[in-house]
Amino acid sequence: MHRMRSPNSKMVNIWIVLGAIMMFMVATTECKKCAYKAIFNFGDSNTDTGGFWAAFPAQAPPHGMTYFKKPVGRATDGRVLLDFLAQALGLPFLSPYLQSIGSDYKHGANFATLASTVLLPQTSLFVTGVSPFSLGIQLQQMKEFKVKVDELPRKGKTSLPSPDIFGKSLYTFYIGQNDFTGNLARLGISGVKEFLPQVVSQIVSTIKEIYALGGRTFWVLNLAPIGCYPAFLVELPHNTSDIDQFGCLISFNNAVVDYNNMLQAALAQTREELADANVVYVDTHAVLLELFQHPTSHGLRYGTKACCGYGDGAYNFNQQVFCGNTKQVNGKTVTAEACKDPQNYVSWDGIHATDAANKLTAYAILNGSYFDPPFPLHNYCNIQPIG
């Protein structure tokens, strides 16, 4: 099993990466059409573009404040990572599959929803914090979508893609965090690690099913360093000896690395079985760890402190009142408000990244340094500038 490379040894200053991308785009004079006509995404809140809030409308400000200037179903102040990837490929932001009004699926669909898991939750669908839209359900939605695209007649203007789109699409996966974190308090690290092989197996199985439907290019993003997230630094029990020099939880980050190694090895095996497919492991963990550990090196100021939250401590997070909510805490009415400078933060609300952090992560990914195996994206698409 391959160990992940140290982010400090392979991490190029992201501002240098940004410059390299811009130089590449300037050097590219021919307008090369992208080989990927659509993106189909599977995930949780890290890439949800409005699916959860379409199903359960309730999102309120300050979400969306930086880019959209209003809540648009994203668990951040602006854009999620998927938005930046779509823009770089010259595609519009992906419409959530669950959003019935105003959606356009000609360039793909987003099946991700907040709080989704890879494995089917073994609890009631109405338990707080658990989404009914697990990866298995998202796969079924994808299959139903393809059936409709294949069967419906093409008459006049349509919001659906052509039937041949599925072999010309990029399939992205950014899911698994809730399988990991949702059971930590109850099972502990050792308990969670027992069923992580099932999580990896389900992701691989989903890739193979989509391959059977015609999919040939898959990006699987690994898990972020949850031991650096303000929410988990507050919520998860730990000793001070478990905190590293950057303020992150050593044991939990090590457990994530073990999972990521397992995922990387499984995807390598899948590549051998699907010889004509691109099955790519994307090391977002290394990028985010670098941002958490050295925020000032990348134009940010705060790593393990949330922008939007409530709390007197260093993390600005209180598990009783989440970003944008007002509640009674210890007999006092409090509101978890947003900071005035989210562009200086890695963490938006203690759990999710800011627009600024997502943008930096996208730049690093698009540079190609975090693909295993190496994936020359510029050979397939003329990478578009992202703002």
Side-chain angles (χ1 to χ4, degrees):
M1 183 177 295
H2 300 292
R3 300 297 297 177
M4 288 176 57
R5 292 169 289 177
S6 167
N8 289 331
S9 65
K10 77 173 192 174
M11 184 71 189
V12 180
N13 187 295
I14 294 183
W15 297 120
I16 297 177
V17 171
L18 189 156
I21 292 176
M22 292 304 179
M23 283 172 33
F24 163 76
M25 290 186 296
V26 171
T28 304
T29 56
E30 294 184 3
C31 184
K32 179 171 54 181
K33 291 184 178 180
C34 187
Y36 303 113
K37 307 304 181 184
I39 299 176
F40 291 99
N41 180 68
F42 304 83
D44 52 32
S45 55
N46 290 305
T47 52
D48 186 353
T49 54
F52 185 87
W53 300 115
F56 308 104
Q59 195 182 40
H63 297 289
M65 59 181 277
T66 294
Y67 184 79
F68 299 100
K69 310 303 181 184
K70 62 180 181 180
V72 288
R74 289 156 170 83
T76 181
D77 62 305
R79 294 156 290 184
V80 294
L81 182 59
L82 179 66
D83 292 322
F84 289 106
L85 298 180
Q87 189 176 359
L89 297 186
L91 302 175
F93 294 156
L94 261 64
S95 293
Y97 176 77
L98 295 173
Q99 183 175 285
S100 59
I101 299 175
S103 291
D104 187 338
Y105 302 113
K106 289 192 293 292
H107 298 285
N110 188 10
F111 303 99
T113 63
L114 180 148
S116 287
T117 53
V118 172
L119 302 179
L120 183 67
Q122 300 300 311
T123 54
S124 165
L125 298 182
F126 301 102
V127 172
T128 302
V130 176
S131 169
F133 305 107
S134 65
L135 181 58
I137 298 298
Q138 293 179 26
L139 176 61
Q140 291 305 117
Q141 291 172 334
M142 168 72 197
K143 290 180 176 179
E144 180 68 12
F145 181 85
K146 186 176 187 304
V147 168
K148 297 300 183 184
V149 169
D150 290 342
E151 291 181 348
L152 290 177
R154 292 292 177 279
K155 293 182 179 180
K157 189 175 181 180
T158 177
S159 63
L160 295 176
S162 60
D164 66 348
I165 198 73
F166 300 99
K168 303 175 181 178
S169 298
L170 174 65
Y171 296 85
T172 54
F173 298 79
Y174 197 7
I175 191 169
Q177 182 169 306
N178 295 310
D179 296 86
F180 198 101
T181 61
N183 295 294
L184 274 174
R186 181 171 59 91
L187 301 176
I189 293 177
S190 59
V192 167
K193 290 177 74 170
E194 288 185 8
F195 66 83
L196 290 181
Q198 299 176 47
V199 174
V200 172
S201 177
Q202 183 63 39
I203 291 174
V204 168
S205 174
T206 303
I207 290 173
K208 290 179 178 179
E209 290 204 48
I210 296 174
Y211 175 86
L213 298 175
R216 288 298 181 269
T217 302
F218 306 89
W219 287 8
V220 184
L221 283 61
N222 63 7
L223 292 192
I226 65 164
C228 298
Y229 283 27
F232 304 126
L233 282 162
V234 171
E235 293 179 350
L236 298 177
H238 61 275
N239 299 318
T240 54
S241 59
D242 196 26
I243 300 292
D244 66 18
Q245 61 179 315
F246 305 105
C248 300
L249 290 164
I250 299 170
S251 58
F252 293 104
N253 276 352
N254 286 344
V256 168
V257 169
D258 288 341
Y259 167 82
N260 286 342
N261 289 333
M262 188 189 313
L263 176 65
Q264 187 174 17
L267 294 178
Q269 177 61 38
T270 305
R271 279 194 296 276
E272 294 182 6
E273 298 173 15
L274 307 178
D276 62 335
N278 292 308
V279 181
V280 183
Y281 172 85
V282 186
D283 193 3
T284 51
H285 175 279
V287 183
L288 285 167
L289 186 62
E290 168 68 16
L291 294 180
F292 276 118
Q293 291 180 341
H294 306 104
T296 58
S297 297
H298 307 287
L300 307 174
R301 291 184 62 186
Y302 306 103
T304 57
K305 180 180 180 180
C307 164
C308 185
Y310 169 79
D312 298 326
Y315 306 121
N316 192 36
F317 181 86
N318 187 307
Q319 58 201 67
Q320 298 181 64
V321 53
F322 293 105
C323 174
N325 292 339
T326 298
K327 288 187 177 180
Q328 289 279 332
V329 177
N330 298 325
K332 178 183 177 182
T333 300
V334 300
T335 300
E337 299 178 337
C339 63
K340 291 180 170 52
D341 56 342
Q343 73 276 6
N344 287 322
Y345 289 74
V346 177
S347 176
W348 163 240
D349 56 3
I351 303 173
H352 307 99
T354 58
D355 181 279
N358 281 326
K359 184 176 183 177
L360 290 171
T361 304
Y363 275 131
I365 291 173
L366 294 168
N367 179 54
S369 300
Y370 298 91
F371 291 134
D372 178 30
F375 185 74
L377 181 61
H378 60 274
N379 287 350
Y380 297 92
C381 297
N382 177 19
I383 301 174
Q384 303 295 309
I386 55 180

